[in-house]
Amino acid sequence: MKSTSGSKKLIVLSHSERVENEAEAISSLFQMGLKNFHLRKPTWKDEEIEQFLEKIPEEFYENIVLHSHYSLVRKYGLKGIHITQKTKKTGIEEKFKGYHTSISTHSKDEVLLLDDSYDYAFISPVFNSISKETYKSGFSLDSLRNFFRENATNTEIIALGGINPDNIQLLQDIPFNGYAVLGYLWENFSLNADMNDLMKRFKILKEMIYE
């Protein structure tokens, strides 16, 4: 079963830790049509992020969003920033007006409090996380359906958490504006750096969402 909306976004988040050949893998995903990549390495220093970016062709920088190390957005001409729990309410949005700005939410109440200054918001975990085994879903599908039926949102909402080709079909009747993927793509690649397997997984997702 394929999505009926060609306007939905497919967003890929990086692995949070160091993974062999990850920058090369991301470059290949861009070449396959990836438009939205979130680089999240919370324990890395600026120079490590820079070394990572410099392994990616500059033509793809406009598709990269940073979750930290925000000063590098301007330096490298990146797409923008993602607001986390640590950076929320620090005024960082004002400093990056004109750039992409997205944010994380973890409850329906948080979604209702959003204004229209964000390009989109993650809501998570929709399913039990693949990358964090103890990070369990806080939502039922029925409660999400009812929420969208009863509420208008001020920003686009992206489903995050445990997304894979099997359960993404369960979300088809919930009006998410897209899907963010982490564990499904990186769970095997982080162990064996199997580029062919990664490309196959991305292709499956891309075809389900876009075609």
Side-chain angles (χ1 to χ4, degrees):
M1 178 177 176
K2 296 178 180 179
S3 169
T4 58
S5 174
S7 64
K8 290 185 184 293
K9 293 178 173 65
L10 171 56
I11 300 167
V12 171
L13 282 78
S14 71
H15 197 288
S16 62
E17 300 176 2
R18 193 174 304 279
V19 174
E20 183 181 356
N21 297 331
E22 186 181 13
E24 291 80 0
I26 290 302
S27 298
S28 295
L29 293 182
F30 281 134
Q31 291 166 1
M32 290 184 67
L34 176 64
K35 299 299 183 185
N36 300 282
F37 173 61
H38 281 233
L39 179 53
R40 177 183 174 272
K41 302 287 187 182
T43 64
W44 283 20
K45 299 176 181 177
D46 276 13
E47 54 265 31
E48 292 175 292
I49 296 291
E50 291 194 72
Q51 289 168 6
F52 186 96
L53 290 171
E54 287 167 2
K55 294 178 182 178
I56 296 174
E58 290 184 22
E59 65 189 277
F60 300 124
Y61 284 178
E62 65 183 8
N63 300 319
I64 298 176
V65 175
L66 292 186
H67 281 225
S68 57
H69 310 86
Y70 295 147
S71 64
L72 299 180
V73 170
R74 289 192 177 94
K75 181 175 180 178
Y76 285 87
L78 305 181
K79 183 174 184 176
I81 65 171
H82 183 83
I83 304 297
T84 65
Q85 294 296 321
K86 288 183 178 180
T87 52
K88 196 181 295 185
K89 297 181 180 179
T90 62
I92 195 70
E93 295 97 331
E94 290 295 317
K95 296 179 182 179
F96 284 89
K97 274 193 171 180
Y99 287 87
H100 163 97
T101 306
S102 51
I103 191 168
S104 294
T105 66
H106 303 286
S107 72
K108 290 170 285 188
D109 287 341
E110 284 185 70
V111 170
L112 291 176
L113 292 174
L114 294 175
D115 59 32
D116 60 2
S117 61
Y118 300 102
D119 291 274
Y120 53 72
F122 294 153
I123 186 168
S124 68
V126 174
F127 297 109
N128 294 342
S129 173
I130 298 171
S131 59
K132 301 176 183 178
E133 292 184 359
T134 60
Y135 197 36
K136 304 298 184 182
S137 172
F139 309 95
S140 71
L141 296 185
D142 282 341
S143 71
L144 288 170
R145 290 187 190 97
N146 291 336
F147 173 77
F148 281 104
R149 188 180 302 119
E150 296 169 2
N151 298 281
T153 57
N154 292 316
T155 189
E156 293 189 346
I157 307 299
I158 307 296
L160 169 66
I163 302 288
N164 64 45
D166 294 327
N167 60 33
I168 202 172
Q169 299 186 51
L170 302 176
L171 304 177
Q172 296 299 303
D173 62 343
I174 302 174
F176 288 116
N177 300 102
Y179 311 98
V181 183
L182 197 168
Y184 169 71
L185 285 178
W186 301 116
E187 60 178 339
N188 283 347
F189 189 86
S190 63
L191 300 175
N192 53 35
D194 187 336
M195 195 74 73
N196 288 332
D197 177 71
L198 181 74
M199 298 300 106
K200 180 180 178 181
R201 289 173 180 241
F202 179 75
K203 185 173 184 289
I204 290 171
L205 285 172
K206 183 182 171 186
E207 289 179 349
M208 291 185 74
I209 295 171
Y210 292 146
E211 299 176 8

